Amino acid sequence: MSHEKREAHACAEYWKLSRRGFLGAASGAAATIALPRVAFARGGGTPRPTLVGIFLRGAIDGLSTVVPYGDAGLYTARPNLAVGAPGTTDGAVDLDGYFGLNPNAAALLTPFQANRLAFVHACGSPDPTRSHFDAMRTMETGTPDNPTSTEAAGWLARHLQSVSPSGTGPLRAIAQNDLMPRVLALAPNSLPILDPGNFALAGAPATEASRRAAISDAYARTIEPLRSAASNTLDSISTLEAIDFAGYVPANGAVYPASPFGAVMRNTAALIKAGIDLEVAHYDYGGWDHHNDQGPLTGTLAGMLGDLAAGLEAFYLDMQGMEDRYVLYAKSEFGRRVAENGSAGTDHGSGGIMMVMGNRVQGGQVHGVWPTLDPSQLDNGDVRVETDYRDVVAEILTAGIGGTDLGNVFLGHGTTPLGVVV
Amino acid sequence: MLQQSVGATAPKVDRPAALRDPILALVHRATFGYTTEEHARARSMGFEGWRDEQLAPDAINDSALDAELASFGSLPLTFAQMLSAYPPSSNGDAVVATELRSARILRAVLSRRQLFERVVEFWTDHFNIDGIGSAQLRYLKSVDDREVIRTHALGRFRDLLGASAKSGAMLVYLDNASNVAGAPNENYARELMELHTLGSDGGYSETDVVEVARCLTGWTIRAVGSGAAGTFRFDANTHDDLSKIVLGVPIPPGGGQQDGETVLDLLASHPNTAARIARKMCVFFLDYEPAQTTVDRVAARFLETDGDLRETLREVLSRASFEEIDVWSAKKLRRPMHMALGAVRSTGASVAAAVGLAGELQLMGHAPFTWAAPNGFPDALGAWGTNLLPRWSFASRLTAGGVPGALLPLSSLSQLFAGVPANRRAAQLDRALTGGRMAPADVTELQAFLDAQPTVDVNVAREAVALALSLPSTQWL
């Protein structure tokens, strides 16, 4: 979709928000923003696969997850933290003769060997910051080469603004979190819903209709994002109540882990199968900032990797045969320092890993240029970013889920074809 | 409270009294929720009189709250004492965390030192620690809350920063406890500059992060086993005693613990720190986009008083700030804890136990001490402004008696509309809950709801209060 087409679709209604207030950012001059709010006719689009986004906040250690055991530099830089080569005690599970999975993440072999799951290594953001919060901000707003940008909308929000809704459902995007993640900031018909299986208006049934009407009227007069959030909320209650989350039975014997992430993936499968025209299911999965006692085999990372892998494997199995209904990605704001620190952990780095699974994904491969861990190849001690996350996302949005206005989503970034999703 | 709102203290007019009333705006901003009593007190004392009273919390008798808190045995204990009295083997860490969370809620609702509780909330986020991240943190955050945040919230910034740097909870949470010479752990050093002082655009480099980390090597905690377990200890054996350069300032070799103290001195007195703290306080207490003149004046006050937080806050809460920012037209969203506990205060609900309220805050994503990342709960419209259903449902459950431990007295509900003409009921509710500053359209909406009911009995009164607490007008600071 061209930029001109998007302009033609923009409606007269504008969101005027305090940029600083909206973002809580501490930089940039005070300014107001005016973003077009999409005004497509409902049901004007075509059904498309649901984009499942997982933000591994805190920066997952790519080198301990998809282990470059074929690179001798790993064992020099990490005498205590490196996962050994396949065949050694607690060694990696081989993927392609050079990279191997942390044994705690071995469950990922199931979709990988079925050629549905791909990894991209040395992947990340061109923003050189090593601050979690700055890196997240520029990654989520899609402005990594303009760190002082005061862009308020997330790139996923701009994607949703760029395309027609895929159906008539009230919810185009959901984040299974308490707070709206910045990547969805200003997204149309989108809500943070921690537990979609428990989304009802409390209070006495006798007055419910009149209370709803009063709330609806009052919020129609207030400011964004409350105004849209109120109407999206009231419109979504009956849609979500019609889905039997509690009684949901996963297909193909899939067993989700008994963890918050397991519940999120299970709910995501239920939402997709319910056919409510959901276009984006997002989850902020925090806790990957392993400066201390990282593992990789028995530390804090190990347990989290097991949860992540089990949740993704169960989702893959549950959705087996329906891979054309979703594309999933998981990534972090950056990777971790190549050298270990003195706390049996790792500090903030640069290049890391990205996982992509589902429709038209060229799975069973570790994609991307590997810069090697030779000290001469490092970026201030970190894995060099060889693949821009935006290029992976671009293929997901185009080949994976059927198209978008990339110029709008990534604000003019010229994408490079990778062949991860074709 | 609802039952006391019908009477001589209620303003005679519906709205105009609330317009550009600095005292009403102050009461809304400096407390955890409007009450007619606090408003009446503030009016009798005057703007400066009430604010200055609140800025001297030690002089305010809070014995009723103290009595409520007396049953929480872990609150006054050291880490070592907690380990003994609340051992992890019997889930003592969970009890300690529950007591701290309950105390936080009760203090916000019941304390007469309302501004102090608000400023404690501010610094708790600024020096955020994941209070449920591990058993060790559940104990240590309780100590940090008492000895760092509550001790220094209105003291000098350098003292607060220093206490935080030596807090067992912070040393563990941001890993400085294992920061050793030769392979420094950068976690605390980075957040010290990015989050606690200068800000990410505050003029430090990646080299400064490493150099500060080196200065802080050996800042650790005493091990379990002694009475001083979990307290700060400088370990000269793991300190990097070579020379460093921080923000261009040479730090000579052999400084030992003084290296870290020098870093804290540099950061606490830096103008970028003053500017950042000033802006953040103005956002917290006033509006998302404070006027630059206000921020500059507050920052200047911070610098000229050597980081005196009481004087800095006095400047934030000044008539000049209110005028410059035009707080009466501000649309700053109260975060869920403020909204929910404010509803408890303004309705006069009694709180026999905080556990039900804690559960509600959990559903809203704002249970105290549960934010995992070091940046603290966000204070931004985009973060909180789309999650409304938990607010509406909370309002209904609170008024219907569905929040365990929190009870809206039947007498106040039955008296709410006593003697009030039918067409003035919504205005009466507005006066009781906000001092009469709801948007006229919201009052009209509320009146239409009441008019549509066949009879206005106690149950309809409950629903009307719930609706009032769900409308946009009651979500703003």
Side-chain angles (χ1 to χ4, degrees), chain B residues 449-470:
Chain B
F449 169 82
L450 284 159
D451 290 345
Q453 307 305 318
T455 56
V456 177
D457 57 10
V458 165
N459 286 327
V460 168
R462 287 184 205 281
E463 298 294 318
V465 174
L467 178 57
L469 296 172
S470 302

Side-chain angles (χ1 to χ4, degrees), chain A residues 81-97:
Chain A
L81 287 189
V83 177
T88 64
T89 306
D90 294 326
V93 182
D94 191 35
L95 291 172
D96 63 357

Side-chain angles (χ1 to χ4, degrees), chain B residues 33 73 155 213 275 299 314 337 472:
Chain B
R314 204 186 309 272
M337 181 164 79

Side-chain angles (χ1 to χ4, degrees), chain A residues 59-270:
Chain A
I60 189 173
D61 183 25
L63 298 178
S64 292
T65 305
V66 178
V67 182
Y69 69 82
D71 190 328
L74 177 68
Y75 301 97
T76 311
R78 295 192 174 182
N80 302 300
L81 287 189
V83 177
T88 64
T89 306
D90 294 326
V93 182
D94 191 35
L95 291 172
D96 63 357
Y98 190 87
F99 292 101
L101 276 175
N102 185 311
N104 290 290
L108 293 177
L109 269 186
T110 309
F112 186 86
Q113 289 177 340
N115 295 332
R116 288 295 184 177
L117 171 67
F119 299 105
V120 188
H121 225 315
C123 179
S125 165
D127 184 347
T129 184
R130 299 296 189 267
S131 152
H132 292 297
F133 309 106
D134 285 356
M136 289 178 193
R137 177 173 57 79
T138 62
M139 178 173 269
E140 294 184 79
T141 55
T143 59
D145 34 29
N146 183 14
T148 59
S149 164
T150 51
E151 176 62 39
W155 63 258
L156 257 175
R158 288 196 302 274
H159 158 67
L160 291 171
Q161 290 166 354
S162 300
V163 297
S164 300
S166 67
T168 56
L171 266 182
R172 297 184 65 190
I174 172 176
Q176 288 181 63
N177 296 100
D178 295 308
L179 292 99
M180 189 66 112
R182 198 186 297 258
V183 71
L184 280 167
L186 300 174
N189 295 92
S190 303
L191 289 174
I193 300 176
L194 183 64
D195 179 5
N198 186 12
F199 196 70
L201 187 64
T207 58
E208 181 174 337
S210 50
R211 279 183 293 120
R212 276 184 69 128
I215 288 172
S216 177
D217 288 352
Y219 278 86
R221 287 187 296 265
T222 195
I223 60 167
E224 294 290 4
L226 281 79
R227 181 162 59 98
S228 293
S231 85
N232 294 337
T233 298
L234 294 171
D235 291 348
S236 301
I237 289 173
S238 60
T239 300
L240 292 177
E241 279 184 336
I243 301 172
D244 182 11
F245 290 98
Y248 176 75
V249 179
N252 307 315
V255 178
Y256 289 94
S259 66
F261 180 63
V264 164
M265 294 314 296
R266 183 176 175 281
N267 288 341
T268 301

